[in-house]
Structures are given as C-alpha cells and as structure tokens.
Amino acid sequence: MPQITVDYSAELDETFDRPGFAGALHPLIAETVSTKTAACKTRFRRVEETAVADAPAGDAIVHIDIALLPGRTPEVRALLTESVLELLAAHIRPDAGLTLHLSAETRDLDPSYRKR
C-alpha cells in the first residue's frame, strides 16, 4: 500500500520522465496520506492505442489510479489527486504535436485487499 498504476499513451515514451515522476511521487503520497515512502508501489503500463472522443490523432492520455487503505477523508484524497496532477505535468516535456489529457483518481482499496 499505496498501489499506484499509471496508464500512458505510447506516444509519450520519449517525453514522459517515468523514473523521475515515480521518485517524486512516492514522497508526495507518503507525506500527504501519512504513510512510508517505502510502502509505495508504482507500475507503468504503456497503452498502444488510445482514443479521445472525436479528437484528431495526436492526443495522448495519462491516467493515474492511486489505491489506499481506507481511512483518508475525501478532502485528503482530493488534495492528493490535485497534487499528483501538478507533479505529473512537470514530468512530461511539451510536444507541440500532442494534446495531453491528464487525469487521476485516489480511491480506497477494496476490503479484500491483501499483501505478503
């Protein structure tokens, strides 16, 4: 815990600093939700094909899902989500040919969650 999944468009391979983002993300999460940085686990999933409504080619998507053990207030989860989006924008170099669609969600893990 926390379990973090980052889905990103393949077009961002060269412009998205994933190691730098994870390195800054983990302490941000730990401080915001009162956990240890060592508890953070992030996996990046490259998505080969994406579509955004009826947008022309050249759009790219990044969606971050942060799953936490229950107990954080909606205000804390919202603060974390906003902070993560700001951090994300700082780790993607602008590409004039791409329109970025960045999103994030902070949610509670299901009570069935277990780890070893």
Side-chain angles (χ1 to χ4, degrees):
M1 196 290 300
Q3 296 289 333
I4 306 131
T5 304
V6 181
D7 293 313
Y8 70 96
S9 298
E11 294 85 356
L12 297 175
D13 269 345
E14 301 300 317
T15 59
F16 182 13
D17 176 14
R18 294 176 301 281
F21 176 67
L25 177 66
H26 295 169
L28 171 69
I29 291 174
E31 180 179 325
T32 305
V33 302
S34 300
T35 191
K36 295 179 182 175
T37 301
C40 296
K41 299 162 197 75
T42 298
R43 60 191 167 275
F44 291 92
R45 298 187 302 195
R46 177 184 160 152
V47 179
E48 294 300 323
E49 294 183 40
T50 59
V52 178
D54 60 353
D59 283 11
I61 298 170
V62 180
H63 177 74
I64 302 169
D65 179 66
I66 304 165
L68 305 169
L69 290 173
R72 278 61 179 208
T73 65
E75 294 81 14
V76 168
R77 290 193 311 267
L79 173 65
L80 177 59
T81 301
E82 287 296 327
S83 298
V84 167
L85 285 174
E86 288 179 28
L87 183 67
L88 175 62
H91 284 84
I92 299 176
R93 287 191 318 274
D95 180 333
L98 290 176
T99 300
L100 292 177
H101 300 271
L102 310 179
S103 60
E105 177 185 10
T106 302
R107 61 180 177 81
D108 288 343
L109 285 162
D110 189 82
S112 67
Y113 173 77
R114 302 291 186 273
K115 70 175 188 170
R116 291 184 188 205

